[in-house]
């Protein structure tokens, strides 16, 4: 069995392993990491040899740590990364490059339709009718997007939302409220087979699925990192927030979507989001600006140029072909947008 794990911001760890009588056998660890002394690699292999095949990654890491000689230097990887690679090998996880990725980047669409497209396209990936997909959104109107389990009244000031022409919608994933202005926001979704994240914990899957965009940002001169559980951050503040939804039908699929701040109108945000008022009480607009670090300031690039560079970076890593939403998918999404995501019952399902 063969497993690979690219450490977010780090190096690739590769594990080849067999299982006999319920334990790990013939373990071989490799990768493009750095390790001193050389002999420590054999210590890692020996530490994993004979471990029960159901040992979780943290416990595999503990076995490695206990076996390494004092003063061992691991650069670009960690003992837990090796444990994750083992788990991915045993789960027969796939890799990004095992798939023919499709790009969808259509014109502006309504907030409710965006919510519906996420659900429909992920279900199609789970059913095997659609290849893994990167969808870059264009917003047709300003919106507040609240998490699946958030209280509507606690998160949104209805008078502020109406004053600024904000449509309020609820997504199918958890997490916090997102303040959306079309020209100030970059949003994308990844609809991926469940096999891609096999062997990863829920938290690890966020970092794993965000790694490509960290590379894209680095290519634009932005030093950013994954900040648990679901943020992308810089020294100056939060840049983006991610959320996920797992679908178990068919072969299973994961929806991973990210909203990034290209720019921010902090005063308007504070007038619309109640959570912002609570978190920033007594600090006001200046603090709100410090909490979010927009891409416009970081890159100096127009929003379309940032998006183009992100897409190019993904394509360079994994390959990417132009695609579109099929007529059947669009019809289903339009129905869901009307009957579910634009309905008061869904939006206020947690009042």
């Amino acid at each position: 069995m063969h497993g690979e794990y690219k450490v977010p911001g780090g190096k690739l760890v590769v594990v080849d392993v067999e299982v006999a009588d319920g334990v790990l056998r013939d373990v071989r660890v490799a990768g493009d990491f750095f390790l001193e002394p050389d002999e420590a690699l054999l210590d890692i292999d020996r530490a994993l040899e004979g471990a029960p095949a159901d040992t979780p990654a943290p416990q595999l890491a503990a076995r490695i740590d206990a076996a390494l000689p004092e003063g061992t230097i691991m650069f670009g990887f960690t003992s837990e990364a090796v444990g994750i690679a083992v788990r991915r090998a045993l789960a027969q996880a796939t890799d990004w490059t095992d798939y023919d990725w499709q790009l969808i980047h259509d014109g502006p669409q309504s907030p409710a339709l965006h919510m519906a497209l996420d659900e429909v396209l992920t279900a199609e990936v789970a059913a095997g009718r659609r290849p893994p997909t990167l969808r870059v959104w264009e917003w047709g109107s300003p919106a507040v997007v609240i998490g699946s389990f958030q209280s509507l009244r606690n998160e949104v000031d209805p008078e502020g939302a109406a004053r600024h022409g904000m449509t309020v919608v609820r997504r199918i994933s958890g997490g916090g409220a997102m303040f959306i202005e079309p020209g100030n926001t970059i949003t994308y979704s990844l609809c991926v087979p469940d096999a891609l994240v096999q062997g990863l914990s829920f938290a690890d899957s966020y970092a794993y699925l965000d790694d490509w965009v960290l590379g894209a940002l680095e290519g634009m001169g932005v030093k950013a990192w994954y900040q648990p559980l679901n943020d992308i951050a810089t020294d100056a503040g939060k840049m983006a927030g991610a959320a996920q939804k797992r679908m178990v039908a068919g072969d299973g699929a994961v929806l991973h979507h990210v909203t990034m701040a290209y720019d921010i109108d902090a005063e308007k945000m504070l007038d619309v989001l109640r959570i912002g008022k609570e978190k920033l009480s007594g600090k006001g607009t200046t603090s709100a600006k410090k909490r979010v670090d927009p891409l416009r300031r970081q890159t100096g690039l127009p929003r379309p140029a940032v998006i183009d560079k992100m897409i190019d970076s993904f394509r360079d890593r994994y390959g990417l072909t132009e695609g579109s939403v099929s007529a059947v998918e669009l019809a289903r999404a339009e129905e869901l947008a009307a009957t579910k995501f634009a309905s008061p019952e869904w939006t206020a399902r947690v009042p």
Side-chain angles (χ1 to χ4, degrees):
M1 287 171 277
H2 179 86
E4 298 185 2
Y5 177 61
K6 169 67 167 59
V7 179
K11 297 297 184 177
L12 179 69
V13 179
V14 180
V15 172
D16 291 285
V17 61
E18 300 298 330
V19 175
D21 299 324
V23 299
L24 305 185
R25 295 298 184 197
D26 299 325
V27 182
R28 294 293 180 269
V29 177
D32 61 357
F33 48 76
F34 300 92
L35 177 65
E36 293 290 347
D38 286 358
E39 296 77 17
L41 186 62
L42 296 178
D43 292 324
I44 293 174
D45 292 344
R46 284 192 288 263
L48 296 172
E49 192 76 19
D54 60 355
T55 306
Q59 278 66 56
L60 292 173
R63 290 175 68 106
I64 294 169
D65 290 338
L68 289 175
E70 186 176 352
T72 296
I73 298 173
M74 306 173 77
F75 187 68
F77 79 122
T78 63
S79 56
E80 184 149 357
V82 177
I84 291 171
V86 171
R87 297 310 321 163
R88 285 177 60 76
L90 298 177
Q92 298 184 317
T94 55
D95 184 67
W96 295 85
T97 54
D98 292 331
Y99 300 103
D100 295 323
W101 290 88
Q102 186 174 112
L103 170 69
I104 295 175
H105 188 191
D106 293 332
Q109 292 160 323
S110 72
L113 185 58
H114 277 308
M115 304 302 109
L117 283 168
D118 265 358
E119 181 169 331
V120 169
L121 297 181
T122 307
E124 290 296 288
V125 171
R129 293 187 291 264
R130 158 168 287 281
T133 300
L134 168 64
R135 183 170 75 91
V136 179
W137 304 20
E138 295 294 344
W139 291 90
S141 62
V144 174
V145 183
I146 59 175
S148 182
F149 311 108
Q150 287 189 295
S151 163
L152 176 62
R153 69 165 66 98
N154 288 345
E155 301 301 325
V156 183
D157 183 326
E159 294 181 356
R163 188 159 46 247
H164 297 293
M166 292 271 175
T167 300
V168 181
V169 291
R170 185 185 294 275
R171 62 181 182 265
I172 60 174
S173 61
M178 308 303 295
F179 176 79
I180 306 296
E181 291 186 288
N184 286 348
T185 306
I186 296 173
T187 305
Y188 66 85
S189 300
L190 286 169
C191 304
V192 307
D194 184 66
L196 183 63
V197 297
Q198 282 297 305
L200 298 175
S201 69
F202 190 78
D204 287 333
S205 72
Y206 273 83
Y208 184 70
L209 294 176
D210 280 340
D211 188 58
W212 72 274
V213 81
L214 298 183
L217 292 170
E218 185 175 9
M220 289 180 264
V222 179
K223 178 59 178 174
W225 57 85
Y226 162 75
Q227 182 169 296
L229 172 64
N230 62 331
D231 289 344
I232 296 173
T234 72
D235 284 331
K238 176 179 174 178
M239 174 177 288
Q244 287 186 7
K245 175 68 177 178
R246 306 294 174 105
M247 294 190 178
V248 297
D251 291 329
V254 178
L255 167 66
H256 179 91
H257 44 199
V258 174
T259 294
M260 312 181 77
Y262 173 72
D263 208 344
I264 181 173
D265 185 331
E267 292 182 359
K268 189 181 295 185
M269 182 181 71
L270 290 173
D271 198 35
V272 173
L273 296 184
R274 283 185 169 148
I275 190 69
K277 292 177 182 177
E278 293 170 4
K279 284 187 176 180
L280 303 173
S281 177
K283 301 177 184 179
T285 303
T286 300
S287 181
K289 289 179 178 176
K290 288 181 179 178
R291 288 174 60 88
V292 179
D293 189 23
L295 280 164
R296 181 179 180 180
R297 183 196 69 78
Q298 285 268 44
T299 65
L301 296 171
R303 178 179 175 275
V306 173
I307 292 173
D308 287 345
K309 288 181 178 294
M310 288 171 57
I311 292 172
D312 288 344
S313 181
F314 191 102
R315 182 181 289 111
D316 290 344
R317 279 192 176 205
Y318 309 127
L320 192 63
T321 59
E322 300 287 336
S324 62
V325 177
S326 72
V328 172
E329 291 168 339
L330 182 59
R332 176 61 180 142
E334 288 175 337
E335 178 188 359
L336 265 182
T339 60
K340 178 178 179 178
F341 292 104
S343 71
E345 292 78 14
W346 170 257
T347 305
R349 78 182 188 112
V350 183

